[in-house]
Amino acid sequence: MLRTVFFRSSFLGLIMMFSCQKREDNSLPYYNTPDFTPQFLSKNEASEKITHHIDSFSFRDQDNKIITDKAVNHKIHVASFIFTSCGSICPTIIENLSVVDKKFKNDPNVLLLSFSVTPWIDNPQKLKDFKELHKINNPNWHFLTGNKGEIYKLARQSYFAEEDLGFTRDSTQFLHTEHIILADQDKKIRGIYNGTLQTDIQQLIKDIETLKKE
């Protein structure tokens, strides 16, 4: 058991190291596979070689509005996976994401999407109460709920939220991750961060600024 925990910790640390790595021109890598192997490419190269992108989706937000993948077309977005009754990592993730929210609150080209991993409990009203409880009034931060299987599939196979360790898991296995995913204006994955670490959040902010200049 200790060996397994050590391996996972080391593996995650390696992923984080690669995800924050940049070329000398300060560009961000692309990620095409759930093992998060970084690929440093020009935008033109990426359009040919990076085939993975965030898939289509349709969920309801805290205001009972339908939010689809079209909402992030040509925009930078940050995805997280939480649930309102979580008493462990989720409050820390939300608190840390509030720093990102404060930085980009007035930027309509930066969206935050927080998907509930207990959508059978977190209906729109619960998500609205949760958003108000945390004093979040950014209209560009959507808390989303919907079909459990669709959320879990999107999280694992589209956002690679649990890296390759969770890529083949199905919706019967509970999804609970500290990972935050950064996607660019073309819905391609450009970063993975530990949402419980303030250092990763600061890196996320810097990386968003980098994408805005691309």
Side-chain angles (χ1 to χ4, degrees), residues 60-66 124-125:
R60 290 190 180 273
D61 74 357
Q62 72 284 339
D63 296 317
N64 209 30
K65 289 175 54 179
I66 297 292
Q125 185 60 52

Coordinates of all heavy atoms in Angstrom, one line a residue, residues 60-66 124-125:
R60 N -26.9 22.0 -17.0 CA -27.6 23.2 -16.5 C -26.7 23.8 -15.4 O -26.1 23.1 -14.6 CB -28.9 22.8 -15.8 CG -30.0 22.4 -16.9 CD -31.4 22.3 -16.3 NE -32.3 21.9 -17.3 CZ -33.0 22.8 -18.1 NH1 -32.8 24.1 -17.9 NH2 -33.8 22.4 -19.0
D61 N -26.7 25.2 -15.4 CA -25.9 25.8 -14.3 C -26.8 26.2 -13.2 O -28.0 25.8 -13.1 CB -25.2 27.1 -14.9 CG -26.1 28.2 -15.2 OD1 -27.4 28.1 -15.0 OD2 -25.6 29.3 -15.6
Q62 N -26.3 27.0 -12.2 CA -26.9 27.3 -11.0 C -28.2 28.2 -11.2 O -29.1 28.3 -10.4 CB -26.0 28.1 -10.0 CG -25.6 29.5 -10.5 CD -24.6 29.5 -11.6 OE1 -23.9 28.5 -11.9 NE2 -24.5 30.6 -12.3
D63 N -28.3 28.8 -12.4 CA -29.5 29.6 -12.7 C -30.4 28.9 -13.6 O -31.3 29.5 -14.2 CB -29.0 30.9 -13.4 CG -28.2 31.8 -12.5 OD1 -28.5 31.9 -11.3 OD2 -27.1 32.3 -13.0
N64 N -30.2 27.6 -13.7 CA -31.1 26.7 -14.5 C -30.9 27.0 -16.0 O -31.8 26.6 -16.8 CB -32.5 26.7 -14.1 CG -33.2 25.4 -14.3 OD1 -32.7 24.3 -14.3 ND2 -34.5 25.5 -14.6
K65 N -29.9 27.6 -16.4 CA -29.6 27.9 -17.8 C -28.8 26.7 -18.4 O -27.9 26.2 -17.8 CB -28.8 29.2 -18.0 CG -29.6 30.4 -17.7 CD -28.7 31.7 -17.7 CE -27.9 31.8 -19.1 NZ -27.1 33.0 -19.1
I66 N -29.1 26.4 -19.7 CA -28.3 25.4 -20.4 C -27.0 26.0 -20.8 O -27.0 27.0 -21.5 CB -29.1 24.9 -21.6 CG1 -30.4 24.2 -21.2 CG2 -28.2 23.9 -22.4 CD1 -30.2 22.9 -20.4
P124 N -29.8 22.6 -9.6 CA -29.4 24.1 -9.8 C -29.6 24.9 -8.6 O -28.8 25.8 -8.3 CB -30.4 24.5 -11.0 CG -30.6 23.2 -11.8 CD -30.6 22.1 -10.8
Q125 N -30.7 24.7 -7.8 CA -30.9 25.5 -6.6 C -29.8 25.3 -5.6 O -29.3 26.2 -5.0 CB -32.3 25.2 -6.0 CG -32.6 26.1 -4.8 CD -32.7 27.6 -5.2 OE1 -33.3 28.0 -6.2 NE2 -31.9 28.4 -4.5

